[in-house]
Amino acid sequence: MTDDANAPTLPDAGVTSQPASVPGAPDVRYVMQALLGRGGMGEVWLAHDQRIDRDVAIKLMRGDAAKDPQLVARFLREARVQGRLEHPAIVPVHDLGGDAAPYFAMKRLAGTTLADVLAAQARGDADALARWPRRILLARLIDVCLAIELAHRRGVIHRDLKPANIMLGDFGETYVLDWGLARVADGNDVDAIRAADLPGDSGSGQTVAGTMLGTPGYMAPEQMRGERVDHRTDIFALGCMLFEILAGQPAVPRDRAIEATLTGARFAPSERAPEADVPPELDELCAAATAASAGERLGSARELADRIQRFLDGDRDLERRRQLASEHAAAARSALAEGDAGRSEAMREAGRAIALDPTNREALELLGGLLLEPPREIPAEARAAIYQEQQRTIRDMLHTGSVAYLVFFAIVAALGAAGTALPLAIGITLAEIGLLAGVSAYYARARRPLTPRLSLVVITMHVTLLATIAVFLGPLLIAPVLIFGYLPLALIMPGARYPVYCTVVHALAIAVPLALEWLHVVPHSYHVEGGALVLRPWAITLGPTAFLAGMVATLVAQLIAVAVSLDRYRAAQERNHEQVHVHSWHLDQLLPTSGKLRAS
């Protein structure tokens, strides 16, 4: 910066070519206000154009640079090249003048360079990331590509494209700066260099003047080797900037820029920064723009701009996506060849293939087959889900059972009070019923799982209760009804693993009391009289009304308990069936060919 009071002034270029050193000199047009920057050949000043009353930027040669004819010629050529390229993304030149101190006046710019934006994002600057998302930077790069396309059609090659020479304005403007190294088709190629003249690698990222014209890290291989360049040299630099926008890091490592440029084949962001989630079409586009051989690069900056625009418009590169989908489908088939161990990976790969190309027949058939044909062994996750569903059904049945036991407890207690009974028989029966009611209620609410062994214990306790009833009331009176009502529930209980045991012990609940009566261990509860079977419990004596009421109450309670349990089981099965069919419907929507696959 400089003190405004001591700032130099420049005269009207149409009157004299010498810059005035005293403010207020005759015919002075530009009043210098602040030094904006200093480079190898001169300075850039913020100035006020008094003729038009506007602020402009003045690029001014000073010192020894202004005495070197070759540097002066290059300086003036920059002004003329920039001035004849009329494009919104190229800074317009308003004026050119000066002999002892050549200068040219340009539009004053406000904004930040792409280099500063990328550096801030690399540091994780939240404001830079929010203000300049990837899609915005890609849109600005399109403006740069179109400006370079115009220059190429006018026979101009920039040769020093890099983020530091891209200005991003505050109101949507984009500018390509510094045309000092531009090569003009109708001019002499006085800037050609030899590979032997290349200096060592430098991480500065600055333009190198003298033996190597350009910036290592953005220079194409042919430019570094000193070969004749054309428009594809600028395309290489544009590809490097695209790489940096996508990957968040330079395409060419700064510490070995020359070596990496001369030996690298191409630069693909996904290979360097897989975590950046680079879209495949942009990844391929970046690699095509940075091919080591100029003949293998994109044909024009316009093509680069158009392909980025198609991506932003949502018109993805379908061919590339189809290719990637085929690769994922092949990976899915390879994983499936490993059997059930590779089944999960096969489904993921097939899903990726369909996401990339919903019409990929191989992936659709593969995923359809995987979804429709169950594995030979149930996966651990599916087995866990089945187990949880079984636990819910068992708890529902235990809850119903606990209520039924309480009702039966009340019936037995009422019968004992209504008639004459052995206290021991009534006490044992009530104790067993109460214990079963408590156990059922506890496990119906407990968080701990009900294992098959625990289910076996509950079944054994219930059969013991049935045997007790058969002993005290007789094996042919109430016990058969209770046995034939409970046995089906025990057999359909989810997770039941002992069907033979259940059947046998229920049969023993009648057989053992019968044997005890035949062996005269307990009194007989039945006899045949006049051709009729007479049933008479020996442990309890009831009047006709009480006996009938007890029988009806027991049968009704048994009927309700079995009906509720079976209804809960039916409801659970219906829920499962509904889920299966809903999943099948979803599968049909995901894979329209699934019906054909099932048919085949």
Side-chain angles (χ1 to χ4, degrees), residues 48-176:
H48 185 72
D49 183 346
Q50 298 190 110
R51 176 184 296 177
I52 306 180
D53 192 22
R54 65 179 174 185
D55 288 338
V56 296
I58 298 290
K59 190 166 186 179
L60 175 67
M61 291 195 75
R62 285 192 177 278
D64 294 339
K67 300 175 184 179
D68 186 329
Q70 187 174 3
L71 292 180
V72 171
R74 183 181 297 167
F75 181 86
L76 296 177
R77 183 184 63 172
E78 175 186 0
R80 293 189 176 100
V81 167
Q82 187 171 329
R84 81 188 203 185
L85 298 176
E86 297 181 0
H87 187 277
I90 299 176
V91 184
V93 175
H94 300 316
D95 191 14
L96 173 64
D99 290 332
Y103 71 92
F104 62 89
M106 304 173 288
K107 176 182 178 180
R108 179 197 177 188
L109 304 181
T112 184
T113 66
L114 177 59
D116 290 338
V117 170
L118 294 175
Q121 291 185 341
R123 295 192 304 268
D125 188 307
D127 291 339
L129 292 169
R131 183 181 179 188
W132 301 103
R134 177 186 288 178
R135 59 183 179 81
I136 296 297
L137 294 181
L138 290 174
R140 297 298 187 92
L141 185 61
I142 291 174
D143 295 338
V144 174
C145 291
L146 294 177
I148 297 302
E149 175 69 15
L150 171 69
H152 290 170
R153 295 192 181 189
R154 300 283 177 86
V156 178
I157 305 168
H158 190 285
R159 295 200 299 182
D160 197 21
L161 289 172
K162 58 185 178 182
N165 284 340
I166 305 301
M167 176 70 76
L168 306 179
D170 296 331
F171 302 98
E173 319 98 303
T174 305
Y175 297 104
V176 181

Side-chain angles (χ1 to χ4, degrees), residues 219-298:
M219 296 171 65
E222 66 272 14
Q223 187 178 1
M224 276 193 173
R225 290 192 293 265
E227 300 170 358
R228 192 172 183 84
V229 301
D230 59 19
H231 66 284
R232 293 169 295 186
T233 300
D234 284 346
I235 292 174
F236 182 91
L238 292 171
C240 289
M241 287 193 285
L242 174 61
F243 183 104
E244 203 160 344
I245 291 172
L246 296 174
Q249 58 180 279
V252 181
R254 293 285 185 261
D255 56 347
R256 53 185 189 89
I258 296 175
E259 175 190 356
T261 301
L262 294 177
T263 59
R266 66 175 195 169
F267 302 103
S270 63
E271 298 174 4
R272 187 87 59 78
E275 72 282 355
D277 190 24
V278 179
E281 50 270 52
L282 292 184
D283 190 60
E284 184 66 28
L285 178 60
C286 188
T290 57
S293 172
E296 297 178 359
R297 287 180 212 144
L298 296 178

Side-chain angles (χ1 to χ4, degrees), residues 348-360:
R348 284 192 291 270
E349 289 292 341
R352 294 186 184 109
I354 294 173
L356 286 166
D357 179 13
T359 65
N360 188 291

Side-chain angles (χ1 to χ4, degrees), residues 279-281 310-319 321:
E281 50 270 52
R310 283 201 300 270
F311 169 78
L312 294 178
D313 291 342
D315 183 12
R316 305 298 182 92
D317 189 342
L318 297 180
E319 188 60 35
R321 287 186 170 273

